[in-house]
Amino acid sequence: MSVGGADGRWRQLLDDICLLASGNQPNAIHGSSLNAAFGLELIESSLAIHLDTVSRHVEQIYVLRNRLMPLIIQTLSERASFSLTVRSIRLLHLLASRLLSSMTLELEVAIDLVNHMLDPKVSPEWKRALCLEFFGELHGDPKLLRTIYAQYDEQDGRKNLVSDHLAILVRLAAEKPAVIGLGQHISEAESQYSLPAEQIAVESGGITGTIATSSFETSMDKPGLNVQWSTVRTPCMDLVDKPEAPALPTTYIYVLVLSCMSRFSEGLARFLLPFTVATDSTSKRKRASASNRHSQQNIESRDDEESTATINSGQSTAESPRPGSNLPVNPLELKDHEQYGQICTSASMVDHCWPALLATSSTFLNASLDSEYLHMLIRSFQKFTQVAGLLDLATPKDAFLTTLAKHAVPTPAGDPSRTPTLGSQENSEIGDEEDHIESETDASPARGASSGNSRGAKLRLTSMTTRNLLCLRALLNLGIALGPVLRGSWTIILETLHQADCLLFISDWHDMKRPRAQPEGTFDDHALSTEKDAVETAVSRLFQSTGDLSEQAYLEILDCFSVLVYSISGLTSRHDRGGHATASGMLSPQAGTPRHQRFPSLHGLNVNKSVAAKDCTRVLDRIGQIAQHNIHRLCRVQSPGSGWSIFVNVFIDHLSSASMTADVRIGAARKLNALFDRLVASVSGADIEVQNEITTRCLDALAKMISSVRKSNATKSSSNCSLEIHAMGLETLTSILEQRGQILHSGWEVVFAIVTSAVNDTEQRAAKSAEKMLSQETFMLQSPRLVRLAFASLQLICSDFLTVVPDRHFPTLLDTLSSFCSQDQDFNISLTVIAQSMTFFRNLSDFLQLENENFYRKLETENHLNEPVDVQDRRPSHPNVWISLLLHLAQLIADDRVEVRHSALHTMFGIVDTCGDRLDTQAWMLCFEVVFLKLLSAIESKLRQNTGSQGNEDSSWDDTAVLLVQRLSKIIMQALVTISVHPTFSNLWTRYLAKYAELLGHGSLGLGRAVFTALAEILATGERNGISQTLSLDSAWTIWREHNPSEYALRGATSNHDAQVAYLQYIHQLHGLLDERFDIDQVEAILSNLRICVTQSTPATYGSDLDEMTAVQKLVLENMKLIPTSPPENLIKLAEEFAFLVTLAFQARENQTVKGKTYVALSKATMAVLEGFVKQHCLDPNISVAQLLSLSLHALESPLSLKYKWHQEGKGIPTWKTATSTALSLCKSDLLDRCEDSDSSTQSMWAAIVGISDSIVAADTDECESMTVITDDQAFDIESFSQLATTIIPTLGSVSIPDTIRRKYAESMFQHSIIHEPHPDDLARPDQELLEGLRSQHVGRVQDLPPKLRSKMAYVLLDQLFDLVAVHDSSTERVKLAQAAAPYLILRAGLVLKAYVCDQPLRGRMPQPLSQKTEMHHVLKKLVDLDSEPKAFPETVGSQSESKKHLFLLFGLVTKALKAARRDEVMSAALRRVLDAVGADFGV
């Protein structure tokens, strides 16, 4: 290339200098050598002065590309000296900044080489520092950096110089974690200890010519970045005069990395932020740019006011712009701008470089930094986040916000997992890259060691530090700056703010609980307090800024707050915004907006319940602040984007939840009520319609609040809290009425609903009919305080705003007054209102009747029985009002207080009774249909509820029901003749009977007595007036059959006697009205209920049925006598029931259902009735006499069998004697002769006769209370037995009677004829033959055996036994009897003989006891004299006698007895006579 003139000489000179510097020979200059450092310095000086000239000449550029750039690259790549390397780096920076476009390829290689030299394995520490200083200069020139990025990173086939450099910074930042104190947050307090100023100056290289060899030795062991030991006085690039590299601080490299990162963010912000201002004015843009430059110092100044104003698009909040007017502009939307290409390049830098920048920043956020470096880091972090947000790059924005949020709150010590994550990533590659960078950062040795050491450590509280508060303040500033474009990212800021609030509160709480040492790594208390104040200021300005947001941005922050508060409280949101769409659905114009997942910064902390409650309270406080700052939105009449529903629903959900603590609920209620007051007060100067609309909206929300809180009374504590919230709502109502009551023309139904909520159930007012009004559970338990507060509002309405209340709401006012009559919390108010209301009701009734001559006719025409009366929608008609008056009285009769109930009841029936003579049939029917029938239903419902409350039953409800039935029965009897002619009367009376049946179903004795007495009187009235057939007798009978008061529990009553008397009198009245012929089912029902009356009757006080029957027992017998005995089945049923009454007194005591009753008098009286009943009906040919006798005799057998065992005997003849006489009367031969053998009951009858016979002869004398009566009773029994035996013998031997019955009779004779107790071995066991015991061998007895007290009865029975065996006429009956008695006779005689054989030898010369001797002589004499029935004994081998077979059977025992009687001549003579009789009969 040939170039002449000065340019040519300059080119030659430049070329030769480059050759000499590289060690080559020059072409034009005479000389052989030149110092390389000097040559490079000469080139730098010349180019610095003439670079513009050089850039215009291609030949000179050629020299630089081919001579100088290879020299620079060679110098940097080799181990050159410090001075040579410094001059090369300086030349490279000069060329890159001025000739980038002319030397693209060469600079690409050189800059990439500089990147490569940052590797610690490639270059020494000072050379790496020079490289970082070089890149710092590049970052300091944003335009140059954008140019480099555009020419290399954005071009295909080029190296990614900027991106690679930032990626290298990530590795450099985490190269030596211990050096930068990773995980050790060095505080400002630690940074204050330092060396003397002179030493600092010397060691930092401040004195020219001083080589700092050991200047940093005192600080080498201190980790972290600090301006005292981490910087140098002069950068290495400026030390051109030093031949050797200076001693650099160990942390200097990291300071340079931090500086590069800060300059990179600063350059992006300085270029892009001016484009976000929403104006085209150049002057305003300049002001905004200046403001942005001023905002760079906002964190350092600790005053957020100026910074917030400048960040937020350069507008001052004092200007109060309308909402949405300050929406920032996205620079990428300025496509027509002249610098649009540069904007796109900057956006690309942000989008591609943010992962590296985030990783580097995260490393330093976890390192030890002093105040200056910390502010630098957070400022750069904030600026980059702001740029990403304004460019609408959601992924980097959310990533940086999340990281900043992570460092805004500390992690509890011992928790190794603290890294928050994004809920979703729009770009999976970016997400993977971020994860990779994060993993590299987290895997650093310091962090790994910390994590490993703390994995098993116990979690402990970590306090907020100044570093955390700085990050939090930066996050809040970003919220102010990016508020219009944050969308779902609000969640990150709000959750972080909430967690910081929690930690600050817990830290303060722990400080109060116990002294806390100054934590390591925190500022002093003054600095911390100052930073806290700054954070509070930022928080306040953040919420103030919501008033300037656009409607969509405003709804977005509300949505995030709503999600946050529900996630904290654990509740579920069930409401939507404005009734159209959910909060989430109205937001998010981009479907893929990432959502922030809540990171558990408080994980592992053991906080008590009060701290957790404060957690939720603080979030609700924040929501309340937003509401206060957006009152101007809420005051709009029609604005679906005002967020009103969100505020109301959030507060109501939390104040009405029983799972929330009292502090949370009450706090939410206070905020909501304060919002109501503020909103109502804010529209004081607006139009009437606006005031009315806003007031009505507040009233609706207030009613919703009270309704919700009334449903949350799950526990006693929650109930108390609910009452407090309810009281606050009533106070707010009074305040609203005082302010806006005069202009309120709608919403009065809500006002009355709120007022009556203090005394009754709000759902009751929704009832649309009288039936619902009276059937629902009317009132709830409330607080006296609520009643007083609500009554104050009611008085205010009645005194000041009565003219404002629309006429259609007067019925509601009447309902409200009734509600206050019914409340039972403040009795003074109740008494006042009740007294006034009762007087009002009476006066109103009189007024309605006097003012309208045709009142009753209108009552008939305007209200029809087939059309229900609309109680709620009353027309201005006096008859309707009169009916409504009665219904309100009926409602008060269902009050829980007996005084109110009875007062209202007497008032109602007094009104009806007064005008009763003027009411005709239709009017009466209307009253019975609409009022009285519903009243019965209401009282029955109350009784049902009262009955179901176990252990808490109120007997006064029974008294009210009794009084109602009594008064109503009088009204019915008064109007019975009048209403009986109505065609629907029968149906109405049936319904009344059904209601009476429901009342009886509650089991009240007093109510049962009243109902049956009333029904009996009504039936008697109908019978007297000849209209009994219209009284539904079948239904009346059903009531008696199904509702027996005997089955009712006493429930505090002493006796059910009166109720049973009324019940029996009622059936007595029915007997005269029902048909005389009863079917079997009716008879069974009557007898069953009568039996229940007898058995379940409770004796009256001081009464006894031992000698005289009770009134119930008398009525039972009287009603039984009225029962017809036709058909025969009825007679048998009656006989069975009489038999039951006879035996009732003698049943086992444990089977008696009611104690204190004897039934003795009833039993005796029934025996007489039964005797006459049987004798009266035994002549009926259709009747089975045997069945009647069987039933009767079996019943009489019970008292006979309990002779001497039954001790409840009254005056007069003992019960068993009465039973004996009755049985003998029934066992007359004429009655027995009427019994047919074919009758199946005959055997049962004879079994009963044998049983009676056994009971007569038996007597347990040990149970006899008086031994003096035994002789007389024995004589009575002997006489009775003789009569009975004469009657039944020989009929008992009939072949139609089973042998078992005769054997039973003979066995009875045998058992009770024994005078002396036999030896047990002499009696056969159950598995042996009867006479087997006589063959046993045993030792005799010598003790005297006393005879039985009833010996005469025993001898009578013994003689009867001989008589049964004796021969008579040899008839079949006699033979059967003899055969049955013969074995027992042999056994009876054998026992006497064997006892003598065994015992007498043992006595020696002792004589036989007299009683035994007398018995033996009697038996021997009877044996000799007896001529037995030949067929009584079976044929015996060797026996030829016909009448002495019994002696043959006893021959062995007689001979043995004769041997034993050798010393007793008299007994021997008697025994020989027996042997002589045997011989004579056998011909011996």
Side-chain angles (χ1 to χ4, degrees), residues 1381-1398:
Y1384 292 100
L1385 176 63
I1386 298 301
L1387 179 59
R1388 179 67 178 86
L1391 290 175
V1392 175
L1393 292 173
K1394 186 175 181 181
Y1396 185 82
V1397 170
C1398 294

Side-chain angles (χ1 to χ4, degrees), residues 1143-1203:
T1143 60
L1144 183 59
F1146 312 103
Q1147 294 177 356
R1149 183 174 298 274
E1150 56 270 17
N1151 292 334
Q1152 296 183 10
T1153 57
V1154 180
K1155 297 182 179 180
K1157 297 180 296 184
T1158 64
Y1159 304 110
V1160 173
L1162 175 63
S1163 180
K1164 291 179 180 180
T1166 308
M1167 290 179 190
V1169 175
L1170 179 60
E1171 180 182 356
F1173 179 78
V1174 173
K1175 290 183 177 180
Q1176 177 184 356
H1177 297 285
C1178 67
L1179 300 177
D1180 189 345
N1182 298 321
I1183 300 300
S1184 172
V1185 177
Q1187 187 176 6
L1188 283 179
L1189 289 176
S1190 175
L1191 291 172
S1192 304
L1193 294 176
H1194 275 295
L1196 295 172
E1197 186 180 355
S1198 295
L1200 278 172
S1201 63
L1202 296 175
K1203 185 190 305 180

Side-chain angles (χ1 to χ4, degrees), residues 465-613:
T465 64
T466 308
R467 178 189 296 256
N468 301 133
L469 295 176
L470 283 172
C471 293
L472 177 61
R473 187 150 59 95
L475 190 66
L476 296 174
N477 288 336
L478 288 172
I480 298 173
L482 300 178
V485 296
L486 277 179
R487 290 188 288 276
S489 300
W490 273 112
T491 305
I492 304 174
I493 299 175
L494 298 181
E495 287 190 358
T496 305
L497 175 60
H498 162 68
Q499 295 175 29
D501 282 342
C502 296
L503 283 174
L504 289 173
F505 170 77
I506 295 174
S507 178
D508 296 341
W509 182 75
H510 277 266
D511 290 342
M512 293 186 294
K513 298 293 288 184
R514 63 177 183 273
R516 179 172 58 88
Q518 181 79 8
E520 182 180 358
T522 61
F523 294 139
D524 57 357
D525 292 339
H526 176 72
L528 194 64
S529 176
T530 303
E531 195 60 42
K532 287 181 181 179
D533 294 339
V535 168
E536 285 298 327
T537 302
V539 171
S540 177
R541 294 185 61 79
L542 174 65
F543 292 130
Q544 289 179 4
S545 67
T546 60
D548 300 330
L549 295 176
S550 64
E551 183 174 288
Q552 180 172 342
Y554 167 71
L555 293 176
E556 288 167 352
I557 188 173
L558 282 187
D559 175 70
C560 294
F561 249 126
S562 176
V563 173
L564 175 63
V565 71
Y566 283 114
S567 66
I568 293 172
S569 63
L571 302 180
T572 302
S573 176
R574 298 161 298 181
H575 307 284
D576 57 343
R577 180 183 299 119
H580 297 90
T582 61
S584 301
M586 296 179 63
L587 306 173
S588 183
Q590 299 180 5
T593 301
R595 302 280 298 176
H596 173 66
Q597 292 185 353
R598 188 173 180 223
F599 51 92
S601 64
L602 299 182
H603 174 69
L605 290 183
N606 185 16
V607 296
N608 60 14
K609 188 175 182 180
S610 62
V611 175

Side-chain angles (χ1 to χ4, degrees), residues 984-1009:
T984 63
F985 169 73
S986 296
N987 180 43
L988 178 65
W989 177 243
T990 301
R991 295 166 63 189
Y992 267 85
L993 288 177
K995 291 300 177 184
Y996 281 135
E998 292 177 0
L999 293 177
L1000 291 172
H1002 294 288
S1004 170
L1005 291 173
L1007 185 56
R1009 176 189 178 187

Side-chain angles (χ1 to χ4, degrees), residues 220-460:
M220 285 297 184
D221 58 344
K222 294 181 175 58
L225 305 184
N226 191 294
V227 292
Q228 295 183 4
W229 62 71
S230 299
T231 59
V232 296
R233 183 65 174 261
T234 304
C236 292
M237 286 182 64
D238 295 338
L239 297 177
V240 294
D241 298 331
K242 291 185 177 294
E244 299 292 337
L248 300 175
T250 308
T251 55
Y252 182 58
I253 294 292
Y254 301 96
V255 171
L256 295 177
V257 172
L258 181 61
S259 176
C260 290
M261 183 181 63
S262 175
R263 292 182 179 184
F264 179 78
S265 300
E266 188 84 18
L268 288 173
R270 188 182 301 118
F271 175 70
L272 290 176
L273 287 183
F275 295 108
T276 62
V277 180
T279 177
D280 294 333
S281 173
T282 305
S283 60
K284 287 186 178 181
R285 185 175 303 161
K286 290 181 179 180
R287 287 198 301 269
S289 177
S291 298
N292 283 313
R293 286 193 300 272
H294 179 75
S295 68
Q296 298 174 12
Q297 310 298 326
N298 65 82
I299 298 181
E300 299 177 6
S301 66
R302 299 180 182 274
D303 186 358
D304 288 324
E305 295 182 3
E306 187 67 24
S307 64
T308 303
T310 56
I311 290 177
N312 203 0
S313 301
Q315 293 188 2
S316 174
T317 56
E319 299 175 4
S320 300
R322 62 181 180 86
S325 62
N326 60 343
L327 186 66
V329 176
N330 186 347
L332 293 176
E333 297 177 358
L334 303 176
K335 297 182 179 181
D336 297 332
H337 199 279
E338 58 185 5
Q339 297 189 32
Y340 181 71
Q342 294 286 322
I343 294 174
C344 292
T345 299
S346 299
S348 178
M349 292 173 65
V350 173
D351 195 28
H352 290 83
C353 298
W354 71 264
L357 195 66
L358 176 63
T360 307
S361 301
S362 299
T363 301
F364 282 111
L365 282 173
N366 289 297
S368 297
L369 306 177
D370 68 352
S371 176
E372 181 176 341
Y373 290 134
L374 181 61
H375 283 76
M376 178 192 300
L377 172 64
I378 295 178
R379 183 169 56 249
S380 65
F381 204 95
Q382 177 179 340
K383 290 181 179 298
F384 188 87
T385 308
Q386 183 178 357
V387 167
L390 294 175
L391 290 174
D392 200 18
L393 300 177
T395 301
K397 175 193 66 176
D398 288 340
F400 274 73
L401 287 176
T402 302
T403 303
L404 193 60
K406 177 181 69 174
H407 292 87
V409 289
T411 302
D415 186 2
S417 59
R418 58 164 292 168
T419 303
T421 59
L422 287 174
S424 61
Q425 294 288 346
E426 291 181 343
N427 192 316
S428 60
E429 296 180 358
I430 294 177
D432 294 339
E433 182 179 357
E434 179 190 4
D435 292 341
H436 173 71
I437 296 173
E438 289 286 353
S439 64
E440 290 181 355
T441 304
D442 293 344
S444 62
R447 174 169 299 196
S450 175
S451 176
N453 294 335
S454 62
R455 182 172 295 117
K458 180 179 179 182
L459 297 179
R460 61 185 184 273

Side-chain angles (χ1 to χ4, degrees), residues 93-240:
H93 175 262
L94 181 63
L95 295 175
S97 60
R98 305 290 290 275
L99 299 175
L100 181 64
S101 59
S102 301
M103 306 173 65
T104 303
L105 295 178
E106 292 77 6
L107 288 175
E108 178 182 5
V109 175
I111 296 174
D112 183 62
L113 178 61
V114 174
N115 265 333
H116 177 68
M117 288 192 300
L118 291 175
D119 190 344
K121 298 179 181 180
V122 175
S123 305
E125 197 73 15
W126 61 266
K127 197 170 187 179
R128 297 170 64 203
L130 280 173
C131 295
L132 284 174
E133 288 180 358
F134 167 76
F135 277 110
E137 294 298 326
L138 294 184
H139 287 295
D141 188 349
K143 183 177 181 181
L144 173 61
L145 191 65
R146 290 195 301 272
T147 304
I148 294 174
Y149 185 86
Q151 289 191 10
Y152 298 106
D153 292 67
E154 288 187 335
Q155 300 299 322
D156 295 335
R158 299 285 187 180
K159 293 185 178 294
N160 297 326
L161 297 181
V162 177
S163 301
D164 291 346
H165 167 66
L166 292 177
I168 293 173
L169 293 183
V170 176
R171 293 191 295 271
L172 289 178
E175 182 179 302
K176 296 180 180 180
V179 173
I180 63 175
L182 195 64
Q184 307 174 26
H185 296 172
I186 300 298
S187 66
E188 290 182 357
E190 292 180 346
S191 69
Q192 295 303 316
Y193 95 90
S194 60
L195 301 174
E198 295 81 1
Q199 186 174 351
I200 295 175
V202 173
E203 294 181 350
S204 61
I207 300 178
T208 306
T210 301
I211 299 175
T213 57
S214 61
S215 58
F216 297 95
E217 291 179 359
T218 59
S219 60
M220 285 297 184
D221 58 344
K222 294 181 175 58
L225 305 184
N226 191 294
V227 292
Q228 295 183 4
W229 62 71
S230 299
T231 59
V232 296
R233 183 65 174 261
T234 304
C236 292
M237 286 182 64
D238 295 338
L239 297 177
V240 294

